[in-house]
Amino acid sequence: MKKRRGPKQSKVHLIFDEKERADYLTGFRKRNLERKLKRKQTLDTLLKEEIKKIKKNQKEALHNAIKSQSQVPEIQHLLEPVTYDLPDHTVTISEINNMDSLHASTTINMDESIPVVSAGGKSQDEVEK
């Protein structure tokens, strides 16, 4: 008995095209640049999403910090500033919380000179002029 074979497959016919060959050979750089551009665009979108997420988290944290800073009426009298008048100067003692320093500058610029008042009542900068 003869062995049955499956249906015959048609043969593949190749057609040579010089223009397509030239496009393929010269297109390596172009395809590489397209892949780079696509990667850059996806990374940019991921970066923007990450920045949005971080800003949202910071905003929520600030909102929660502001909500938690509400003062309880029972201890309000303990938080009020106390002022002492001394013979030479006045001293005020008050609470410093983190919310006050968020918008204020917390660094001292050492390059700027502090105006010093001399015995004549004029500052040192005015005396030099």
Side-chain angles (χ1 to χ4, degrees), residues 27-60:
F28 288 116
R29 184 173 191 275
K30 181 172 70 172
R31 289 188 296 274
N32 191 15
L33 290 176
E34 287 173 357
R35 286 192 300 269
K36 282 184 182 179
L37 181 63
K38 187 176 178 181
R39 275 193 307 262
K40 185 178 183 289
Q41 289 173 346
T42 56
L43 287 176
D44 286 344
T45 56
L46 290 175
L47 179 66
K48 286 180 183 180
E49 290 174 4
E50 189 68 24
I51 289 172
K52 284 181 184 179
K53 188 186 299 183
I54 289 171
K55 284 184 179 182
K56 182 181 176 186
N57 290 342
Q58 287 178 343
K59 188 174 182 179
E60 288 176 0

Short mmCIF file of all heavy atoms in Angstrom, two decimals, residues 27-60:
data_model
loop_
_atom_site.label_atom_id
_atom_site.label_comp_id
_atom_site.label_asym_id
_atom_site.label_seq_id
_atom_site.Cartn_x
_atom_site.Cartn_y
_atom_site.Cartn_z
N GLY A 27 18.09 51.17 5.43
CA GLY A 27 17.12 51.56 6.44
C GLY A 27 17.46 51.15 7.85
O GLY A 27 16.66 51.38 8.75
N PHE A 28 18.63 50.56 8.10
CA PHE A 28 18.98 50.15 9.46
C PHE A 28 19.03 51.33 10.41
O PHE A 28 18.47 51.29 11.51
CB PHE A 28 20.34 49.43 9.47
CG PHE A 28 20.30 48.05 8.85
CD1 PHE A 28 21.02 47.78 7.72
CD2 PHE A 28 19.53 47.05 9.40
CE1 PHE A 28 21.00 46.52 7.15
CE2 PHE A 28 19.50 45.79 8.84
CZ PHE A 28 20.23 45.53 7.71
N ARG A 29 19.68 52.39 9.98
CA ARG A 29 19.81 53.57 10.84
C ARG A 29 18.44 54.20 11.09
O ARG A 29 18.12 54.60 12.21
CB ARG A 29 20.75 54.58 10.18
CG ARG A 29 21.02 55.80 11.05
CD ARG A 29 22.08 56.70 10.43
NE ARG A 29 22.51 57.70 11.34
CZ ARG A 29 21.89 58.87 11.53
NH1 ARG A 29 20.80 59.13 10.87
NH2 ARG A 29 22.36 59.74 12.39
N LYS A 30 17.65 54.28 10.05
CA LYS A 30 16.32 54.88 10.19
C LYS A 30 15.45 54.08 11.16
O LYS A 30 14.79 54.67 12.04
CB LYS A 30 15.65 54.96 8.81
CG LYS A 30 14.28 55.60 8.83
CD LYS A 30 13.73 55.85 7.44
CE LYS A 30 13.39 54.54 6.78
NZ LYS A 30 12.68 54.72 5.51
N ARG A 31 15.48 52.78 11.05
CA ARG A 31 14.68 51.95 11.95
C ARG A 31 15.20 52.05 13.39
O ARG A 31 14.43 52.07 14.35
CB ARG A 31 14.67 50.49 11.48
CG ARG A 31 13.83 50.29 10.21
CD ARG A 31 13.67 48.82 9.88
NE ARG A 31 14.93 48.16 9.55
CZ ARG A 31 15.48 48.14 8.34
NH1 ARG A 31 14.89 48.77 7.33
NH2 ARG A 31 16.62 47.51 8.13
N ASN A 32 16.52 52.13 13.53
CA ASN A 32 17.11 52.28 14.86
C ASN A 32 16.68 53.61 15.49
O ASN A 32 16.34 53.66 16.68
CB ASN A 32 18.63 52.20 14.76
CG ASN A 32 19.31 52.08 16.11
OD1 ASN A 32 18.64 51.79 17.09
ND2 ASN A 32 20.60 52.31 16.15
N LEU A 33 16.69 54.69 14.71
CA LEU A 33 16.27 55.99 15.22
C LEU A 33 14.78 55.97 15.58
O LEU A 33 14.37 56.60 16.57
CB LEU A 33 16.55 57.09 14.20
CG LEU A 33 18.03 57.41 13.98
CD1 LEU A 33 18.19 58.45 12.88
CD2 LEU A 33 18.67 57.90 15.26
N GLU A 34 13.98 55.27 14.81
CA GLU A 34 12.56 55.16 15.12
C GLU A 34 12.35 54.44 16.45
O GLU A 34 11.51 54.85 17.26
CB GLU A 34 11.81 54.42 14.00
CG GLU A 34 11.64 55.21 12.74
CD GLU A 34 11.04 54.39 11.61
OE1 GLU A 34 10.81 53.17 11.79
OE2 GLU A 34 10.80 54.97 10.53
N ARG A 35 13.11 53.39 16.70
CA ARG A 35 13.01 52.68 17.97
C ARG A 35 13.43 53.57 19.13
O ARG A 35 12.79 53.59 20.19
CB ARG A 35 13.85 51.40 17.95
CG ARG A 35 13.27 50.28 17.11
CD ARG A 35 13.99 48.97 17.35
NE ARG A 35 15.40 49.02 17.03
CZ ARG A 35 15.92 48.71 15.83
NH1 ARG A 35 15.13 48.34 14.85
NH2 ARG A 35 17.23 48.77 15.64
N LYS A 36 14.51 54.33 18.94
CA LYS A 36 14.97 55.24 19.99
C LYS A 36 13.91 56.29 20.30
O LYS A 36 13.66 56.63 21.46
CB LYS A 36 16.27 55.93 19.58
CG LYS A 36 17.49 55.09 19.73
CD LYS A 36 18.73 55.89 19.38
CE LYS A 36 19.98 55.05 19.48
NZ LYS A 36 21.19 55.82 19.12
N LEU A 37 13.30 56.85 19.25
CA LEU A 37 12.28 57.87 19.43
C LEU A 37 11.07 57.30 20.18
O LEU A 37 10.53 57.95 21.08
CB LEU A 37 11.85 58.43 18.07
CG LEU A 37 10.79 59.52 18.09
CD1 LEU A 37 11.33 60.75 18.82
CD2 LEU A 37 10.37 59.89 16.69
N LYS A 38 10.69 56.11 19.84
CA LYS A 38 9.55 55.47 20.50
C LYS A 38 9.86 55.22 21.98
O LYS A 38 9.03 55.48 22.86
CB LYS A 38 9.21 54.15 19.81
CG LYS A 38 7.96 53.51 20.33
CD LYS A 38 7.60 52.26 19.55
CE LYS A 38 6.36 51.61 20.11
NZ LYS A 38 6.02 50.39 19.39
N ARG A 39 11.08 54.74 22.29
CA ARG A 39 11.49 54.53 23.67
C ARG A 39 11.49 55.85 24.44
O ARG A 39 11.04 55.92 25.59
CB ARG A 39 12.88 53.91 23.74
CG ARG A 39 12.92 52.42 23.63
CD ARG A 39 14.27 51.87 24.02
NE ARG A 39 15.37 52.48 23.30
CZ ARG A 39 15.96 51.97 22.23
NH1 ARG A 39 15.56 50.82 21.73
NH2 ARG A 39 16.95 52.59 21.64
N LYS A 40 12.00 56.91 23.81
CA LYS A 40 12.06 58.22 24.47
C LYS A 40 10.65 58.73 24.78
O LYS A 40 10.40 59.25 25.87
CB LYS A 40 12.79 59.22 23.58
CG LYS A 40 13.01 60.57 24.22
CD LYS A 40 13.79 61.48 23.29
CE LYS A 40 14.08 62.81 23.93
NZ LYS A 40 12.94 63.66 24.09
N GLN A 41 9.73 58.55 23.85
CA GLN A 41 8.36 59.01 24.08
C GLN A 41 7.71 58.23 25.22
O GLN A 41 7.03 58.82 26.06
CB GLN A 41 7.54 58.87 22.80
CG GLN A 41 7.93 59.87 21.73
CD GLN A 41 7.23 59.61 20.41
OE1 GLN A 41 6.64 58.56 20.20
NE2 GLN A 41 7.30 60.58 19.50
N THR A 42 7.92 56.93 25.27
CA THR A 42 7.32 56.15 26.36
C THR A 42 7.94 56.53 27.70
O THR A 42 7.23 56.63 28.71
CB THR A 42 7.48 54.64 26.12
OG1 THR A 42 8.86 54.33 25.95
CG2 THR A 42 6.71 54.19 24.89
N LEU A 43 9.25 56.76 27.73
CA LEU A 43 9.89 57.17 28.99
C LEU A 43 9.40 58.54 29.43
O LEU A 43 9.23 58.79 30.62
CB LEU A 43 11.41 57.17 28.83
CG LEU A 43 12.07 55.79 28.77
CD1 LEU A 43 13.56 55.93 28.51
CD2 LEU A 43 11.83 55.01 30.04
N ASP A 44 9.20 59.45 28.46
CA ASP A 44 8.68 60.78 28.80
C ASP A 44 7.28 60.69 29.41
O ASP A 44 6.98 61.37 30.40
CB ASP A 44 8.66 61.68 27.57
CG ASP A 44 10.05 62.15 27.17
OD1 ASP A 44 10.98 62.04 27.99
OD2 ASP A 44 10.20 62.63 26.03
N THR A 45 6.43 59.86 28.83
CA THR A 45 5.08 59.72 29.38
C THR A 45 5.13 59.10 30.78
O THR A 45 4.40 59.54 31.68
CB THR A 45 4.17 58.89 28.46
OG1 THR A 45 4.79 57.61 28.23
CG2 THR A 45 3.95 59.58 27.13
N LEU A 46 6.00 58.11 30.98
CA LEU A 46 6.13 57.50 32.30
C LEU A 46 6.65 58.52 33.32
O LEU A 46 6.21 58.55 34.47
CB LEU A 46 7.06 56.30 32.25
CG LEU A 46 6.53 55.06 31.52
CD1 LEU A 46 7.63 54.00 31.44
CD2 LEU A 46 5.32 54.51 32.23
N LEU A 47 7.61 59.35 32.89
CA LEU A 47 8.16 60.37 33.78
C LEU A 47 7.08 61.39 34.17
O LEU A 47 6.97 61.77 35.34
CB LEU A 47 9.34 61.08 33.10
CG LEU A 47 10.01 62.18 33.90
CD1 LEU A 47 10.68 61.60 35.13
CD2 LEU A 47 11.03 62.90 33.04
N LYS A 48 6.28 61.82 33.20
CA LYS A 48 5.22 62.78 33.50
C LYS A 48 4.21 62.18 34.47
O LYS A 48 3.76 62.86 35.40
CB LYS A 48 4.52 63.20 32.21
CG LYS A 48 5.34 64.15 31.37
CD LYS A 48 4.62 64.55 30.10
CE LYS A 48 5.48 65.44 29.24
NZ LYS A 48 4.79 65.85 28.01
N GLU A 49 3.85 60.92 34.27
CA GLU A 49 2.91 60.27 35.18
C GLU A 49 3.50 60.16 36.58
O GLU A 49 2.79 60.38 37.58
CB GLU A 49 2.55 58.88 34.66
CG GLU A 49 1.70 58.89 33.42
CD GLU A 49 1.48 57.51 32.83
OE1 GLU A 49 1.95 56.52 33.44
OE2 GLU A 49 0.86 57.42 31.76
N GLU A 50 4.78 59.85 36.68
CA GLU A 50 5.44 59.74 37.98
C GLU A 50 5.48 61.10 38.69
O GLU A 50 5.25 61.19 39.91
CB GLU A 50 6.86 59.20 37.81
CG GLU A 50 7.55 58.84 39.09
CD GLU A 50 6.94 57.65 39.79
OE1 GLU A 50 6.30 56.81 39.13
OE2 GLU A 50 7.10 57.56 41.03
N ILE A 51 5.76 62.16 37.93
CA ILE A 51 5.79 63.51 38.52
C ILE A 51 4.41 63.89 39.02
O ILE A 51 4.26 64.45 40.11
CB ILE A 51 6.33 64.53 37.49
CG1 ILE A 51 7.83 64.30 37.27
CG2 ILE A 51 6.07 65.96 37.93
CD1 ILE A 51 8.42 65.12 36.16
N LYS A 52 3.37 63.58 38.24
CA LYS A 52 2.00 63.87 38.67
C LYS A 52 1.67 63.13 39.96
O LYS A 52 1.07 63.68 40.87
CB LYS A 52 1.00 63.47 37.59
CG LYS A 52 0.93 64.43 36.43
CD LYS A 52 -0.11 63.97 35.42
CE LYS A 52 -0.14 64.86 34.21
NZ LYS A 52 -1.13 64.41 33.21
N LYS A 53 2.10 61.87 40.02
CA LYS A 53 1.81 61.06 41.21
C LYS A 53 2.53 61.63 42.44
O LYS A 53 1.95 61.72 43.52
CB LYS A 53 2.28 59.62 40.97
CG LYS A 53 1.85 58.65 42.05
CD LYS A 53 2.44 57.26 41.85
CE LYS A 53 1.99 56.65 40.54
NZ LYS A 53 2.50 55.27 40.36
N ILE A 54 3.78 62.04 42.26
CA ILE A 54 4.54 62.61 43.39
C ILE A 54 3.91 63.91 43.85
O ILE A 54 3.77 64.15 45.06
CB ILE A 54 6.02 62.81 42.98
CG1 ILE A 54 6.70 61.44 42.84
CG2 ILE A 54 6.75 63.68 43.99
CD1 ILE A 54 8.09 61.52 42.24
N LYS A 55 3.52 64.78 42.90
CA LYS A 55 2.89 66.05 43.28
C LYS A 55 1.58 65.81 44.01
O LYS A 55 1.27 66.50 44.99
CB LYS A 55 2.65 66.91 42.04
CG LYS A 55 3.90 67.57 41.51
CD LYS A 55 3.59 68.48 40.35
CE LYS A 55 4.83 69.17 39.83
NZ LYS A 55 4.52 70.08 38.73
N LYS A 56 0.82 64.83 43.56
CA LYS A 56 -0.45 64.51 44.21
C LYS A 56 -0.21 64.03 45.64
O LYS A 56 -0.89 64.45 46.57
CB LYS A 56 -1.19 63.45 43.41
CG LYS A 56 -2.54 63.09 43.98
CD LYS A 56 -3.21 62.01 43.15
CE LYS A 56 -4.52 61.58 43.79
NZ LYS A 56 -5.11 60.44 43.08
N ASN A 57 0.80 63.16 45.83
CA ASN A 57 1.13 62.66 47.16
C ASN A 57 1.58 63.79 48.08
O ASN A 57 1.22 63.84 49.26
CB ASN A 57 2.19 61.57 47.09
CG ASN A 57 1.66 60.30 46.48
OD1 ASN A 57 0.46 60.08 46.40
ND2 ASN A 57 2.56 59.45 46.02
N GLN A 58 2.40 64.72 47.54
CA GLN A 58 2.87 65.84 48.36
C GLN A 58 1.70 66.75 48.75
O GLN A 58 1.63 67.23 49.87
CB GLN A 58 3.92 66.64 47.60
CG GLN A 58 5.25 65.95 47.49
CD GLN A 58 6.26 66.75 46.69
OE1 GLN A 58 5.90 67.66 45.94
NE2 GLN A 58 7.52 66.40 46.82
N LYS A 59 0.80 66.96 47.81
CA LYS A 59 -0.35 67.82 48.09
C LYS A 59 -1.23 67.18 49.18
O LYS A 59 -1.69 67.87 50.10
CB LYS A 59 -1.16 68.03 46.82
CG LYS A 59 -2.26 69.03 46.93
CD LYS A 59 -2.92 69.27 45.59
CE LYS A 59 -4.01 70.32 45.70
NZ LYS A 59 -4.65 70.58 44.41
N GLU A 60 -1.45 65.87 49.07
CA GLU A 60 -2.23 65.18 50.10
C GLU A 60 -1.53 65.22 51.45
O GLU A 60 -2.18 65.41 52.48
CB GLU A 60 -2.48 63.73 49.68
CG GLU A 60 -3.46 63.59 48.54
CD GLU A 60 -3.62 62.15 48.09
OE1 GLU A 60 -2.96 61.25 48.66
OE2 GLU A 60 -4.41 61.93 47.15
#
